[in-house]
Amino acid sequence: MKRRSWLGWGTAGLVALWSAVGVSLGAVVRFLTPSVFYEPPQSFKIGNPADFSFGPPTFLAEEKIFVFRDREKGFAVASAVCTHLGCTVGYFQDDQRFHCPCHGSVFAGDGAVQHGPAPRPLEWFEVTLARDGQLRVDKDHVVPAAYRLMV
Amino acid sequence: MTPLRDVWRSIVRRDPLSTDKGKSELVFLNLWLHIHPAKVKRENFKLKHTWYLGFITFYLFLILVTTGVALMFYYRPDAPQSYQDMKDLQFVVYLGSFLRNMHRWSAHGMVICVFLHMCRVFYTGSYKAPRQFNWVIGVFLFLLTLGLSFTGYLLPWDQLAFWAITVGSNIGGYAPLVGPRLKELLLGGHAVGESALLRFYVLHVAVLPSTMILLTMVHFWRVRKDGGLSRPVWKLKPAAAGPLVRIGAPAPAEAALVVVPASQDKTYGLMEVVTGKPIFETVTAEEEEDTVFSYPYAFFREAIALMATVTSVMAISLFWQAPLEELANPAKTPNPAKAPWYFLGLQELVSHSALLGGVVVPALAVLGLLAIPYLDTNPSRRPADRKWAIRAFTLFVVVNVVLIIIGTLFRGPGWALVPPWVHVSGAE
Ligand code: HEM
Ligand code: FES
């Protein structure tokens, strides 16, 4: 066979080989990415409005949220996950702020960072009324801190 | 008893160890020993040059593999069952807590020793030509060691484990572009949970150890191929140079030609002549004198180091219990929540700026370490000739150590600066 065609075949072979390597690597990454996440749903019901008292927020440990209920303004739901490194913050009634136990971040009542390393304010989640009259929280919908649901 | 002797001879085919040939054959007819040269230079085994830190790191790794496999007989990577298995190991399984202690303390020891080994390689200038690439392999071994410790940290599935890994993996999540994706791949989800436990387990018992074994083999092979361990050449006294003889020159008139009789107990061969510089550091040919057979000189010293390592780990494990806190509880963060200690330097930085401490500084540190042998082109390994390199590296080490000490001992609830001797009441 001619030298030229050997070179051609050789190049084609190498290209094919490296493409195969590339595709396989992609497949490995895709394989390691779960197609289904067996995690608690991002959108869930938390009970009837009447279950929640006025005054200090209710902390739901499983969902890691605070449910606020205000006589005039209505319902609001705040994330309890610190935006710094994911520790669970606590709400302190005496200074009406959120404190993170891990690296001392402090968030104002509206979630704004007042102190510490947290880079972003705490998130507020959309809360709506489901058809059966229960409150539904959707963690995929982050809303402004002023968001309220009047019931 | 000829049959028995035949069996023995079929296994051990070397000559008796009383002969030089037997001593060499012990090394090169044996799979496990033949990574050694048949003869070693005496200084290589001087305690003060290597402190045996590479060996100790390797021995700790052997302890970890052995005790780790033992623990696997009783451990299921299935939350929250894993925690019950740990309790069983602690209180029910015969020798369970002892093996667990050994595994835990060797893991901490390995992180410390691999770091110290890296320091000694730096201070002796042993990363310089021809050893640059072995330093690079070493940096990867260092990262692998950290990876093994980090993945192992989650397995007990207690509060300590859960929150250390939560904080640790969120640090990684700060990397721009790839961060969140990497975190998802590592955790198999968006928060530390069952899939994270399974992934960490597979990485911890299969992927990372096998990679470690492969790289360690390359590392050792390279040490040989780079001409054996580096030596403090500047301290060696060159032997008095013999008179130079030009091949082919007429013999000096006064020296009568002597005929040297061929020895009866040596085999002569015609060696090939290779041109080019040797990669070995030689002072002069005479310096050959200082080599000794690996058996027993090197093996004896290695065996002592091995026994000292094993005994120390066992002694520590008899008296100190590996911690096991209560069952992991995602709803309740312990205060303060700390990453594993070797990442507390990073966490300290992260507590000031997440991007800087979590991404920029560690990335620069690793790249910097990898680049050292290629940036530092000063050929001299004599400490007096490399003052600035030594100062820079010392600064790096000191900053690391200080940050880790602050993070470990001086950070109390709410990450407030609290000296370790002050007790904070009300802290959980
Ligand atoms: C799992 C981790 C490691 C193991 C088991 C290991 C083991 C060893 C051993 C047994 C030696 C020979 C003698 C001694 O120094 O005691 C050695 C030499 C060496 N190591 Fe490592 N090592 C590890 C990590 C590292 C790291 C992190 C670096 C540097 C970044 C490194 C760089 C080197 C170099 C350049 C040599 C040759 C030194 C010389 O010729 O003097 N190694 N290693
Ligand atoms: S996780 Fe809240 S301050 Fe660090």
Side-chain angles (χ1 to χ4, degrees):
Chain A
M1 220 190 269
K2 269 199 251 132
R3 197 177 130 80
R4 172 92 56 79
S5 64
W6 273 114
L7 276 178
W9 281 109
T11 317
L14 276 180
V15 168
L17 188 69
W18 283 109
S19 324
V21 170
V23 169
S24 315
L25 277 181
V28 168
V29 172
R30 179 59 190 86
F31 166 76
L32 289 174
T33 314
S35 302
V36 178
F37 288 99
Y38 292 97
E39 291 178 341
Q42 290 293 92
S43 165
F44 44 85
K45 294 176 185 168
I46 56 173
N48 289 311
D51 300 344
F52 295 89
S53 56
F54 300 98
T58 315
F59 174 58
L60 300 183
E62 287 273 292
E63 293 82 3
K64 296 197 183 181
I65 51 173
F66 293 100
V67 183
F68 287 82
R69 185 172 193 196
D70 188 284
R71 234 172 263 282
E72 286 95 59
K73 297 188 218 134
F75 280 97
V77 171
S79 161
V81 180
C82 179
T83 54
H84 180 225
L85 290 175
C87 292
T88 308
V89 299
Y91 184 81
F92 286 69
Q93 194 56 32
D94 46 357
D95 66 351
Q96 312 232 326
R97 297 194 294 179
F98 302 90
H99 293 255
C100 181
C102 288
H103 316 108
S105 286
V106 179
F107 304 87
D110 65 352
V113 184
Q114 290 193 326
H115 185 75
R120 281 171 287 112
L122 285 180
E123 285 174 338
W124 295 82
F125 299 130
E126 184 185 68
V127 47
T128 50
L129 216 47
R131 259 198 220 156
D132 60 359
Q134 290 200 52
L135 293 170
R136 171 190 286 285
V137 174
D138 188 351
K139 283 190 174 176
D140 280 334
H141 276 103
V142 176
V143 292
Y147 176 95
R148 289 292 183 280
L149 170 74
M150 279 309 295
V151 183
Chain B
M1 293 296 278
T2 25
L4 261 188
R5 218 181 55 213
D6 287 351
V7 172
W8 175 250
R9 294 290 302 161
S10 78
I11 303 172
V12 175
R13 293 191 280 213
R14 58 171 165 70
D15 277 8
L17 287 174
S18 50
T19 65
D20 284 358
K21 185 155 170 272
K23 286 177 187 158
S24 318
E25 285 177 348
L26 172 72
V27 177
F28 63 74
L29 294 184
N30 181 302
L31 175 64
W32 312 109
L33 295 180
H34 86 282
I35 189 75
H36 295 86
K39 282 183 137 189
V40 290
K41 300 216 172 67
R42 216 185 267 275
E43 300 87 18
N44 281 347
F45 281 82
K46 290 246 170 80
L47 181 68
K48 272 202 339 235
H49 188 51
T50 71
W51 298 103
Y52 287 65
L53 283 164
F55 290 107
I56 295 174
T57 310
F58 180 61
Y59 299 148
L60 287 171
F61 180 66
L62 293 185
I63 299 179
L64 282 162
V65 172
T66 322
T67 53
V69 169
L71 295 177
M72 282 173 76
F73 281 95
Y74 283 98
Y75 177 87
R76 276 163 291 182
D78 186 10
Q81 192 60 51
S82 304
Y83 182 72
Q84 296 313 320
D85 292 346
M86 294 317 288
K87 282 272 182 212
D88 267 9
L89 278 166
Q90 201 85 316
F91 299 111
V92 183
V93 177
Y94 175 70
L95 281 186
S97 71
F98 181 62
L99 287 170
R100 179 170 175 247
N101 293 348
M102 280 185 75
H103 196 74
R104 174 66 69 105
W105 301 135
S106 319
H108 287 325
M110 191 168 162
V111 175
I112 297 173
C113 288
V114 75
F115 187 74
L116 293 179
H117 169 62
M118 182 170 87
C119 295
R120 98 88 182 134
V121 171
F122 184 88
Y123 286 119
T124 57
S126 306
Y127 55 86
K128 304 200 172 197
R131 299 189 174 79
Q132 302 98 318
F133 191 64
N134 215 14
W135 169 272
V136 173
I137 294 173
V139 174
F140 283 105
L141 284 171
F142 177 53
L143 296 179
L144 270 177
T145 310
L146 290 183
L148 270 165
S149 301
F150 186 65
T151 49
Y153 216 87
L154 180 64
L155 304 184
W157 202 251
D158 60 349
Q159 276 289 71
L160 187 67
F162 185 89
W163 289 100
I165 302 304
T166 298
V167 167
S169 57
N170 280 333
I171 294 180
Y174 271 103
L177 302 176
V178 289
R181 183 92 176 94
L182 272 183
K183 190 182 141 198
E184 188 185 282
L185 279 182
L186 184 66
L187 299 183
H190 300 99
V192 178
E194 276 169 43
S195 14
L197 181 58
L198 186 55
R199 278 176 190 225
F200 275 51
Y201 178 74
V202 174
L203 288 172
H204 188 74
V205 306
V207 180
L208 297 179
S210 50
T211 317
M212 179 78 108
I213 291 171
L214 286 177
L215 267 193
T216 310
M217 279 163 32
V218 180
H219 193 60
F220 292 175
W221 168 258
R222 277 271 174 170
V223 172
R224 274 295 297 279
K225 292 291 147 179
D226 293 342
L229 288 185
S230 69
R231 292 166 305 143
V233 249
W234 61 92
K235 283 192 201 152
L236 305 180
K237 281 191 216 69
L244 282 180
V245 181
R246 238 180 74 215
I247 297 173
E254 63 273 19
L257 273 182
V258 204
V259 179
V260 184
S263 162
Q264 295 299 302
D265 52 2
K266 280 187 181 169
T267 320
Y268 293 89
L270 187 60
M271 301 305 155
E272 219 175 328
V273 177
V274 180
T275 54
K277 271 202 223 146
I279 50 175
F280 308 83
E281 297 141 307
T282 39
V283 178
T284 64
E286 253 73 11
E287 192 241 329
E288 273 282 277
E289 305 276 283
D290 213 23
T291 59
V292 282
F293 276 103
S294 295
Y295 173 87
Y297 188 83
F299 299 154
F300 177 72
R301 281 161 178 74
E302 287 173 18
I304 297 277
L306 173 63
M307 286 190 282
T309 311
V310 175
T311 337
S312 317
V313 171
M314 283 185 156
I316 293 172
S317 305
L318 276 179
F319 296 108
W320 280 282
Q321 290 296 317
L324 185 64
E325 299 186 353
E326 66 268 47
L327 175 67
N329 179 358
K332 184 167 147 271
T333 313
N335 186 0
K338 295 189 177 183
W341 64 265
Y342 36 84
F343 287 143
L344 282 184
L346 285 185
Q347 191 175 343
E348 182 60 35
L349 292 177
V350 164
S351 74
H352 300 285
S353 153
L355 184 69
L356 204 64
V359 184
V360 179
V361 173
L364 285 182
V366 170
L367 286 180
L369 281 178
L370 287 172
I372 284 178
Y374 304 100
L375 293 181
D376 178 7
T377 46
N378 166 8
S380 171
R381 297 203 285 105
R382 182 200 301 269
D385 298 341
R386 36 198 298 265
K387 288 216 175 77
W388 282 104
I390 286 181
R391 279 179 199 147
F393 191 78
T394 306
L395 182 70
F396 168 75
V397 173
V398 169
V399 168
N400 252 305
V401 172
V402 167
L403 284 179
I404 287 181
I405 290 180
I406 294 181
T408 313
L409 298 176
F410 287 81
R411 287 300 187 179
W415 210 245
L417 262 184
V418 183
W421 51 88
V422 171
H423 178 73
V424 183
S425 59
E428 292 161 282

